[in-house]
Amino acid sequence: MLPSAFDYHAPATLEEALALLVEHGDEAKLLSGGQSLVPLLKLRFAAPAHIIDIGRIPDLSYIREEGGFLRIGALVREVELERSELIAKRYPILKDTASVIADPLVRNRGTVAGNLAHGDPANDHPATMIALGAEVVARGPGGERSIPVAEFFQGLLTTALADDEILTEVRIPAPVEGSGGAYLKLERKVGDYATAGAACWIVLAGDGSIASARIGLTNLASTPVNATAAAAHLVGRKPTDETLDKTGELAAAATSPGKDRRGSVEYKQEMARVLTIRALKKALARAQGDVRSRP
């Protein structure tokens, strides 16, 4: 099926893009990598009168550490995370995530910010960003604001972005000593959406107990799951098998998946439990400095 007719705009600056959003309101859609929007256009699940392509705006593609944060620009593509030495060394959970998104064709075009802004709980980055305690930067006519990722996803394909705002940057706190994270995904075949996915981030205390933790889950509810009770169970405890098993159970209990061709509700919840435990073990190995656990 062919998309319905639309007017195409290619602004050269962020200010011009914002002006177009204000002018055309809810009749406009933003295009960056296009890997979420273009399929919707082709199926006519989306039929905007105006497409605003921000892909030519300069200075929106960067990966750098600055001011205590990893800063990822809006136009950074998945393949750039895969290939970045900084990401592999300091943020391997991001390489875990980017490398299992769809296929190389999609990763060569799709952007990290677009993956988040689409608001799809089946996308992989939302759970990872929850685990990392990330925030997104939104720019609108009234200026710039920062939104914690834990508050960003408000419903199926719905985010905290206003109609006249553009997600310009993702900010992730720089890792501290004794920290580690991992993302694991179960899929029916390479390139598929996750049947279930788990992203875990932990910080170890000096005595080997867990000082802090966050857990995000993929495609197990109408929004990415922030498994706060499961993460809280880890804090102050040593990472014994008993502790990890209970954490996995609490993570599964936080989910509300639907039955579909990928599996029953019970199967998906069991996979949430299993993947959480496995991701925690991998995160622990990284926090303890096991080089074999690096991507």
Side-chain angles (χ1 to χ4, degrees):
M1 186 179 292
L2 296 175
S4 57
F6 57 82
D7 290 334
Y8 175 80
H9 308 268
T13 66
L14 188 58
E15 289 71 23
E16 185 182 346
L18 289 168
L20 286 166
L21 274 180
V22 171
E23 179 182 355
H24 299 296
D26 58 10
E27 292 186 339
K29 287 287 186 183
L30 290 172
L31 175 72
S32 54
Q35 300 308 295
S36 296
L37 179 59
V38 170
L40 295 180
L41 294 174
K42 292 175 69 175
L43 293 170
R44 298 203 177 187
F45 290 158
H50 299 269
I51 296 292
I52 303 171
D53 184 352
I54 65 172
R56 294 177 175 83
I57 297 176
D59 303 324
L60 285 181
S61 183
Y62 52 85
I63 302 171
R64 60 175 179 257
E65 284 186 303
E66 184 177 274
F69 290 91
L70 173 69
R71 300 176 64 177
I72 301 173
L75 297 181
V76 169
R77 304 190 187 281
E78 304 293 353
V79 69
E80 295 178 73
L81 288 189
E82 281 191 280
R83 296 175 179 174
S84 167
E85 292 184 9
L86 171 64
I87 296 301
K89 182 178 179 180
R90 298 266 290 163
Y91 306 86
I93 185 176
L94 286 174
K95 185 166 183 175
D96 292 345
T97 308
S99 63
V100 296
I101 291 174
D103 55 42
L105 293 175
V106 171
R107 295 197 294 273
N108 282 337
R109 293 294 305 164
T111 63
V112 180
N115 190 281
L116 295 171
H118 188 50
D120 189 342
N123 283 350
D124 296 288
H125 277 301
T128 294
M129 295 302 176
I130 287 171
L132 285 167
E135 58 188 42
V136 301
V137 178
R139 177 82 175 272
E144 188 176 275
R145 67 185 179 117
S146 178
I147 309 166
V149 163
E151 301 171 9
F152 185 67
F153 305 103
Q154 300 186 338
L156 183 63
L157 304 180
T158 305
T159 72
L161 282 176
D163 290 340
D164 58 358
E165 287 183 320
I166 297 175
L167 197 166
T168 58
E169 184 178 83
V170 181
R171 292 178 184 167
I172 296 167
V176 298
E177 185 176 355
S179 63
Y183 179 70
L184 294 176
K185 169 184 179 178
L186 174 67
E187 54 191 352
R188 295 179 302 172
K189 58 182 178 63
V190 174
D192 192 16
Y193 285 113
T195 300
C200 299
W201 182 263
I202 60 155
V203 179
L204 295 176
D207 63 357
S209 65
I210 297 174
S212 63
R214 287 184 295 268
I215 298 171
L217 302 172
T218 299
N219 212 12
L220 290 163
S222 60
T223 61
V225 176
N226 186 0
T228 54
H233 179 73
L234 290 167
V235 177
R237 291 183 166 89
K238 296 288 182 68
T240 63
D241 288 343
E242 181 181 2
T243 295
L244 299 186
D245 287 345
K246 180 60 176 180
T247 302
E249 292 174 8
L250 290 170
T255 68
S256 54
K259 177 182 177 181
D260 58 23
R261 289 179 294 177
R262 292 182 176 85
S264 65
V265 169
E266 294 77 14
Y267 174 72
K268 291 181 179 182
Q269 290 180 320
E270 175 64 7
M271 292 305 97
R273 183 189 72 81
V274 170
L275 290 171
T276 297
I277 294 171
R278 291 179 181 176
L280 280 170
K281 289 180 177 179
K282 192 171 184 178
L284 278 164
R286 287 174 172 170
Q288 293 164 347
D290 186 348
V291 297
R292 294 171 298 178
S293 65
R294 292 179 184 173

